[in-house]
Structure formats: structure tokens, C-alpha cells
Amino acid sequence: MRLTSFTDYGLRVLMRMAGAPDRAFTTSELADEFRVSRNHLAKVISALAAAGLLETRRGGGGGATLARKPEDVRLGDVVAVLEADQALVECFSAGNNACTLTPHCRLKARLAHAEAAFVADLNRSTLADCVYRPENA
């Protein structure tokens, strides 16, 4: 299984914020620290806020903060939210399934089970297990 960079960046944002949970982070600050596109990271932060994982404030003194305690954020749930629009394989996509094997495929159920097991295994851990604190912070 491969996660998108969108999910990778989302996990990085949460891990970094968990290292300083009382502090607000700006998109620019995190983009610079992670050496990634500010625009892409802004979309990630927006998705995390829409999922109720972050709280955001605009303007001076604004930024993003964790909306929940790190021990209350299950990693599998985060991955499931951020990967929601990414079908594991074509036949999992509601509107784009042109696979000719679909009517008699014996693999789809196994892949669905494996995907669910992946998320369930990640849910055995929380954000608190993956806190990141940079050495120079």
C-alpha cells in the first residue's frame, strides 16, 4: 500500500503540532520547515481542519492548533480521512470502475479486507505515539 503525499504531509503536520500542542503554527512556517509547497500544505491543513483535527484562525496571531489531545487522535482514522478520495484500486472507485473483471472478481474482497486491516492496525496507535519535536526547537 502506498499513501499519497497529501496524507504524508497531513501526518507530518499533526506530529509536529503534537510536539508543541499549546502553540499555533502558520502554513508558511510548516511549509518552510518541511520544505514543501505552501499551497499544497494549505490544502492539507484545510482538510485536517474540516475533519475536526485542527482549529484554524486567520490574521495576526492566527495559525493552526490541534483540536484534540494527541492521545485522542487515532492514526488509522487520520489516514482514512486523508485517503478518502483515493481508491486503492480502480474497482473501489464509485464512478470510474471500468474493470472487466468486476462481476466475477475474487480479489476485491481480499483487498478491501487488507485495506481495513491496515487502518485497524494504525488505529492501535495514536498521535501521542508519534510526537515530533525538532532538535532545534
Side-chain angles (χ1 to χ4, degrees):
M1 174 164 227
R2 179 168 191 227
L3 299 178
T4 61
S5 60
F6 190 82
T7 300
D8 179 18
Y9 297 159
L11 290 167
R12 290 185 207 185
V13 165
L14 294 173
M15 290 165 48
R16 178 64 177 100
M17 289 184 172
D22 298 327
R23 168 169 184 240
F25 289 84
T26 67
T27 302
S28 294
E29 174 185 14
L30 291 170
D32 288 345
E33 183 176 333
F34 300 154
R35 296 183 189 129
V36 299
S37 161
R38 183 191 173 285
N39 289 335
H40 191 61
L41 201 61
K43 293 175 188 174
V44 170
I45 288 172
S46 178
L48 291 169
L53 296 165
L54 297 180
E55 293 177 354
T56 59
R57 289 187 322 268
R58 290 181 172 258
T65 57
L66 290 177
R68 299 188 288 190
K69 295 177 186 174
E71 59 269 16
D72 294 336
V73 177
R74 298 262 164 217
L75 298 179
D77 294 341
V78 173
V79 168
V81 163
L82 296 177
E83 292 284 320
D85 293 336
Q86 301 298 318
L88 183 62
V89 288
E90 179 184 337
C91 61
F92 284 24
S93 179
N96 298 327
N97 183 9
C99 179
T100 58
L101 303 179
T102 296
H104 306 290
C105 182
R106 297 173 62 190
L107 179 61
K108 185 175 181 176
R110 287 173 174 81
L111 290 174
H113 177 75
E115 184 176 36
F118 177 73
V119 170
D121 189 66
L122 284 174
N123 271 338
R124 294 174 48 211
S125 300
T126 68
L127 185 56
D129 299 318
C130 300
V131 171
Y132 174 76
R133 292 180 188 92
E135 291 179 18
N136 58 357

